[in-house]
Amino acid sequence: MTRGRDRRSDGERAGANEMRGQMTIVAAVATLCGSIGLYPLFVSGGWFWSGLGAVAAVSGAGALVRRYRLPALVNLAGGLAALHVYVTIVYASDRAFLGIIPTPASSMRVAELVGEGWQAANTYAAPVPLIPAISLLTTLGIGLVAALVDLLAVRLRRAAPAGLPLLAMYSVPAAIREESISWLAFAIGAAGYLWLLLADARVQVTSWGRPVFTSRWSEDAPRDQASSGALVLTGRRIGVTAVMAALLLPSLVPGIQPKGFFGVGGTGEGGRGARTVTTLDPLVSLKRELTRTDDAVVLTFRSTEPQPDYLRLYALDRFDGDRWTYSELSSGPRDKIKDRDLPAAPGLTLPAAGRTTTKVAIGDRVDLKFLPLPYPPTRVDIDGDWRVHSESLMVYSLRDAAGGRDYTVNSLKVAPSAAQLDATGPASPQVLGQFTRVPSTVPDRVREIAENVTKSATSPYQKAMLLQEWFTNGQFVYSLEAPPPKRVSDLMDFLETTKAGYCEQFAAAMALMARELKIPARVAMGYTPGTPDANGNWVVRSRDTHAWPELYFAGIGWVRFEPTPSGATGQGTATIPQYAVPAAAAAPGLPSSPTGSDSVVPTPTTPGSPGAAVQRPRDPDNITTPTGVSGSTGTQVPYGLIAGAGVALLLLLTPMTTRLLTRRRRWAQVAGDATDDVRSTHAARAAWAELRADAIDYRVDWRAAESPRAVAKRLARQLNLGGTAADALTRIAMAEERARYAPSPGQTQTLRADSRLMRKTFAAAGNRRTRVRARLFPASTMAAYRAAFGRLLDVLDRFDAFAFTGRWRWRTRSSSPR
């Protein structure tokens, strides 16, 4: 007896170990399925294979720990240790012992890469390049999730809470991207989690012990496992329904998904909720654009102004101690600009010197969510869903891109004189509080330098002029070799040591020094006007990307200054506005600023010249009058609403269409038969099938066990039929009876007309609700849909059973003994 009990114990332990091994595989697959949700964050898919290796290492270590029945904490520690070994082999093998065993040097290298990856992740906007540091960070994240899922689902047998770390992988792209995650990626992750739950349920049921079999049990079912039967089928239906609800509800509920289902219901298409618009770092691409070797055309424009001003993209009003960026933009439907004037420019009460109309054509391959505009714009005519931030007049879109678009901008020409700027009073306390804020981490040395440079000034305007002249008096050098500033120490190095940089350093430094002097300031980024071509267009290239400071003066608002050196030794197309030109250089007849060829990227811009860019600028429409162009005023076609309504209508009509096609197919088969006997037999079967389907559709009682003659008698009595209807029903029943038992069904030429008559008879016997339901949602077709769905669930049940038993169940359990 003891040996028997021991043998059973050994068998039970072997079965438990086998179940844990299977659960380990399922948990690993669920983690990999969940990691697919990270795909929008990267420009390439190499991260997945690195994550696959991490999941394999963690799962293998967990299985090894469980084999020796070690505590749960050791399970987690073993997984993390295996993850450490894996990343050491992949990313720091040159510093590991024998290329495998971690050492202090290899661990330091991994830590350095983690720091670099974290910094890069906060610098680049998604999708990010897959540099080793970012790949390592992703691998560690996936490996950590794998360790938690393995601990919860396999070791602790708590599969439901394992969904939390899986959900964490979806929260990362959802938090930093504007666009929603693909429904397919979500479905794959949800399927992995459902499989994990189903596998855990199967293990729990099996652990109850040996099942008690009855005669109703399937002969081909495994005798050592309990079948879940109808309960499992119900569970799968609930699971599939939950996945479908999770896929559709976020698309239909306003505020959860940017665009809603086909653009319907989401705030991006007019929903009532507000959205928050953010980018990680607007300045991150500045140097990349300035140093592009192809010097591609970004846009072309025509302006009613002989010397156009800069085209601004961003107004960066927040300095976090290291970098300039803009505050979060809360966007709602009232911010849409379609067929509306833009809000008034903040702080501007000075009468405008004129109005400017600019027609812009953006290059097809340009990826912009913000529109380049002359400041201050008053109206923008463009197709699509575009919005304005009233405090900065930045125009952006939640879903559309500017690439390949043409639009028209009306703007004011603000030309304050030096005297007017010098005479302005103090800004309001609100403006001072928001735009002179400086973090405590900024060294006092910045304020000391600013005060020393401007000690002779008596007004904010004079201080601004002295700051600008300090940067442009020759002691600072324009250089694209300088690294982009990443922290305030880089700025101090620029101010006191190297004194070499490009527009970002100059703009950021002057704006920060102005704030230290209590002058409201921010950094703007966009494009200089570029260079004119032979056709009167202004051509803006990547080298014309620029950053500059904007300072606020009461009654005039935001005005730009230009501390970056221009001309042949600086930013080639930068210009100094007339009000900011030093008095010595503002002699009559002189231009407001020197302009010259760009010495950094000496690419000719005249069409047809050698070395000119291959891409030709698109020519926007000619402008004939300064104010005569209003742009497109047509109503935007709601393509998303139309598509959503079309899909809903298609789904609504699908059952009815399927019923009509089924009827047509049956009678078309009769017409295509070759011989009279075959044609008559098929006609009898088609008429009987239509009689049955029509009875089911119109809720007339149908009893499958009755003979055709019994059906005819009962229906005639139930519906009180007589005359032609009773004769038609009798002919259909007799034809079916002869098709079953006689060599020939006899004469069947009238069966199609008889079938049509019986359908009308059934419809007349029912009420209006029954007739509408029979046409739109015929019960015979809906039953076919349910049967197909049941077969799909049965396939899922077979896959699930195959994963745990290694045997494919070709037949299902019979409902009753044979």
Side-chain angles (χ1 to χ4, degrees):
M1 294 295 292
T2 304
R3 287 195 299 271
R5 284 195 299 270
D6 290 342
R7 283 197 296 270
R8 286 195 297 271
S9 298
D10 291 341
E12 291 172 0
R13 284 195 294 269
N17 290 334
E18 181 182 359
M19 285 294 180
R20 288 197 181 95
Q22 294 164 348
M23 279 296 297
T24 300
I25 296 175
V26 174
V29 172
T31 303
L32 289 175
C33 291
S35 70
I36 294 177
L38 299 173
Y39 79 95
L41 301 180
F42 310 99
V43 297
S44 61
W47 60 271
F48 178 80
W49 305 111
S50 180
L52 173 62
V55 173
V58 170
S59 300
L64 183 63
V65 170
R66 285 187 292 274
R67 183 176 182 84
Y68 293 99
R69 304 179 186 180
L70 298 176
L73 290 179
V74 179
N75 193 114
L76 179 62
L80 296 179
L83 178 62
H84 185 199
V85 172
Y86 173 75
V87 297
T88 299
I89 295 173
V90 176
Y91 297 97
S93 60
D94 57 332
R95 303 187 185 185
F97 180 68
L98 301 177
I100 300 176
I101 302 175
T103 63
S106 67
S107 299
M108 286 294 296
R109 177 55 181 163
V110 170
E112 292 173 1
L113 285 176
V114 169
E116 294 176 8
W118 186 259
Q119 184 177 3
N122 287 276
T123 300
Y124 292 103
V128 299
L130 197 63
I131 61 177
I134 291 181
S135 177
L136 169 61
L137 202 63
T138 307
T139 302
L140 288 174
I142 296 176
L144 178 60
V145 171
L148 293 175
V149 172
D150 186 79
L151 172 68
L152 293 171
V154 186
R155 178 63 177 82
L156 300 179
R157 304 282 289 277
R158 297 292 185 269
L164 294 177
L166 294 176
L167 181 63
M169 289 192 287
Y170 283 94
S171 66
V172 176
I176 67 176
R177 289 183 75 251
E178 192 62 49
E179 294 81 5
S180 60
I181 298 173
S182 165
W183 68 268
L184 180 60
F186 176 83
I188 293 174
Y193 179 54
L194 283 178
W195 190 23
L196 182 65
L197 294 178
L198 293 173
D200 179 70
R202 181 178 290 274
V203 172
Q204 298 285 357
V205 171
T206 305
S207 65
W208 293 346
R210 295 181 62 86
V212 178
F213 299 102
T214 67
S215 60
R216 299 170 62 91
W217 201 265
S218 172
E219 297 178 358
D220 62 326
R223 302 290 296 180
D224 58 342
Q225 292 201 19
S227 172
S228 43
L231 184 60
V232 167
L233 187 64
T234 302
R236 280 171 173 76
R237 287 175 177 172
I238 294 174
V240 173
T241 303
V243 172
M244 296 301 297
L247 286 171
L248 294 178
L249 287 179
S251 301
L252 296 174
V253 177
I256 295 182
Q257 182 168 323
K259 298 181 283 297
F261 186 62
F262 290 101
V264 180
T267 55
E269 281 290 339
R272 296 183 180 180
R275 299 286 320 284
T276 298
V277 186
T278 60
T279 57
L280 292 179
D281 192 345
L283 291 171
V284 70
S285 63
L286 179 57
K287 184 175 182 181
R288 183 171 64 246
E289 291 299 309
L290 287 172
T291 56
R292 284 183 58 169
T293 56
D294 60 349
D295 194 26
V297 173
V298 177
L299 61 92
T300 60
F301 70 92
R302 293 178 69 92
S303 175
T304 57
E305 190 68 25
Q307 179 61 46
D309 204 355
Y310 291 179
L311 302 176
R312 193 194 63 172
L313 277 170
Y314 308 105
L316 312 180
D317 63 326
R318 186 168 64 90
F319 184 69
D320 61 8
D322 293 322
R323 302 283 291 163
W324 285 90
T325 185
Y326 59 78
S327 303
E328 292 183 347
L329 311 182
S330 181
S331 176
R334 56 175 169 50
D335 298 322
K336 288 190 173 184
I337 67 171
K338 185 66 176 179
D339 299 326
R340 294 168 56 183
D341 290 337
L342 302 185
L348 177 60
T349 59
L350 181 73
R355 294 180 178 272
T356 302
T357 299
T358 308
K359 300 201 76 173
V360 184
I362 305 290
D364 294 333
R365 298 183 179 181
V366 176
D367 184 17
L368 290 175
K369 290 288 188 180
F370 286 67
L371 295 183
L373 305 172
Y375 187 84
T378 58
R379 186 182 180 93
V380 180
D381 291 311
I382 184 173
D383 293 332
D385 178 25
W386 295 87
R387 296 148 188 259
V388 63
H389 181 237
S390 58
E391 296 182 7
S392 63
L393 298 185
M394 291 187 293
V395 175
Y396 58 91
S397 177
L398 297 171
R399 63 177 180 86
D400 294 323
R405 293 182 180 268
D406 298 346
Y407 56 93
T408 302
V409 187
N410 295 328
S411 58
L412 299 178
K413 181 181 179 181
V414 181
S417 64
Q420 289 172 321
L421 288 168
D422 193 40
T424 57
S428 67
Q430 180 181 0
V431 173
L432 287 172
Q434 180 178 357
F435 296 103
T436 62
R437 186 180 299 118
V438 176
S440 59
T441 55
V442 175
D444 294 337
R445 181 60 181 157
V446 177
R447 184 181 67 257
E448 294 173 0
I449 295 174
E451 291 175 348
N452 183 60
V453 170
T454 62
K455 59 185 178 182
S456 62
T458 58
S459 69
Y461 169 71
Q462 294 179 17
K463 294 179 181 180
M465 288 296 297
L466 289 176
L467 287 177
Q468 177 182 274
E469 293 175 18
W470 185 64
F471 285 108
T472 57
N473 63 7
Q475 61 175 323
F476 284 85
V477 178
Y478 184 85
S479 173
L480 289 175
E481 300 298 326
K486 298 179 180 179
R487 54 189 65 87
V488 72
S489 58
D490 297 335
L491 179 61
M492 294 304 303
D493 188 57
F494 166 73
L495 290 175
E496 295 191 298
T497 307
T498 65
K499 295 191 176 182
Y502 54 98
C503 55
E504 181 179 353
Q505 284 94 332
F506 287 96
M510 180 172 174
L512 183 59
M513 294 171 72
R515 286 196 172 190
E516 291 283 13
L517 298 173
K518 301 305 177 184
I519 304 174
R522 64 189 185 190
V523 173
M525 178 184 166
Y527 302 98
T528 63
T531 54
D533 65 8
N535 299 321
N537 297 321
W538 290 81
V539 181
V540 178
R541 299 177 177 272
S542 58
R543 69 171 176 224
D544 299 315
T545 309
H546 195 46
W548 61 93
E550 290 183 342
L551 276 58
Y552 182 92
F553 295 90
I556 300 174
W558 293 99
V559 295
R560 74 171 178 91
F561 286 80
E562 188 51 88
T564 304
S566 58
T569 59
Q571 217 287 354
T573 53
T575 60
I576 300 177
Q578 187 64 42
Y579 54 79
V581 176
L590 292 178
S592 61
S593 68
T595 60
S597 61
D598 192 344
S599 61
V600 178
V601 187
T603 303
T605 59
T606 304
S609 62
V614 175
Q615 179 182 358
R616 297 184 61 186
R618 297 188 300 117
D619 185 9
D621 297 336
N622 291 330
I623 299 175
T624 56
T625 60
T627 58
V629 178
S630 59
S632 174
T633 59
T635 303
Q636 181 184 357
V637 179
Y639 295 108
L641 182 61
I642 294 175
V647 171
L649 181 61
L650 179 62
L651 293 176
L652 182 66
L653 297 179
T654 296
M656 180 178 68
T657 304
T658 303
R659 179 72 182 91
L660 293 175
L661 292 177
T662 301
R663 181 185 304 137
R664 176 170 295 185
R665 177 180 55 81
R666 284 171 177 159
W667 292 112
Q669 184 179 4
V670 173
D673 290 332
T675 64
D676 292 341
D677 288 343
V678 174
R679 187 181 304 111
S680 297
T681 301
H682 284 174
R685 294 294 170 83
W688 184 254
E690 283 298 306
L691 180 69
R692 175 184 178 277
D694 289 333
I696 294 174
D697 292 343
Y698 287 96
R699 301 304 192 266
V700 177
D701 185 26
W702 183 270
R703 300 171 186 175
E706 289 181 330
S707 66
R709 189 173 302 187
V711 170
K713 290 182 178 180
R714 182 177 56 80
L715 292 182
R717 183 174 60 254
Q718 179 179 341
L719 300 177
N720 195 22
L721 299 182
T724 57
D727 294 339
L729 177 59
T730 300
R731 284 192 294 268
I732 293 174
M734 294 307 297
E736 173 63 15
E737 190 170 284
R738 290 179 63 86
R740 292 183 184 182
Y741 307 114
S744 172
Q747 298 297 322
T748 58
Q749 290 84 353
T750 63
L751 288 184
R752 187 166 187 176
D754 293 338
S755 177
R756 189 181 305 112
L757 177 59
M758 287 308 303
R759 185 164 53 255
K760 293 180 179 179
T761 302
F762 288 145
N767 54 30
R768 178 179 298 178
R769 180 180 179 183
T770 300
R771 289 192 295 270
V772 172
R773 188 166 55 180
R775 288 181 179 274
L776 292 180
F777 305 104
S780 59
T781 301
M782 301 305 293
Y785 287 165
R786 287 192 294 270
F789 186 66
R791 287 192 293 270
L792 174 62
L793 293 176
D794 187 61
V795 171
L796 295 177
D797 181 62
R798 293 173 183 176
F799 271 112
D800 187 28
F802 177 75
F804 277 84
T805 66
R807 287 171 287 182
W808 186 266
R809 291 168 51 194
W810 291 104
R811 292 178 296 171
T812 57
R813 190 177 64 203
S814 59
S815 58
S816 60
R818 294 288 182 183

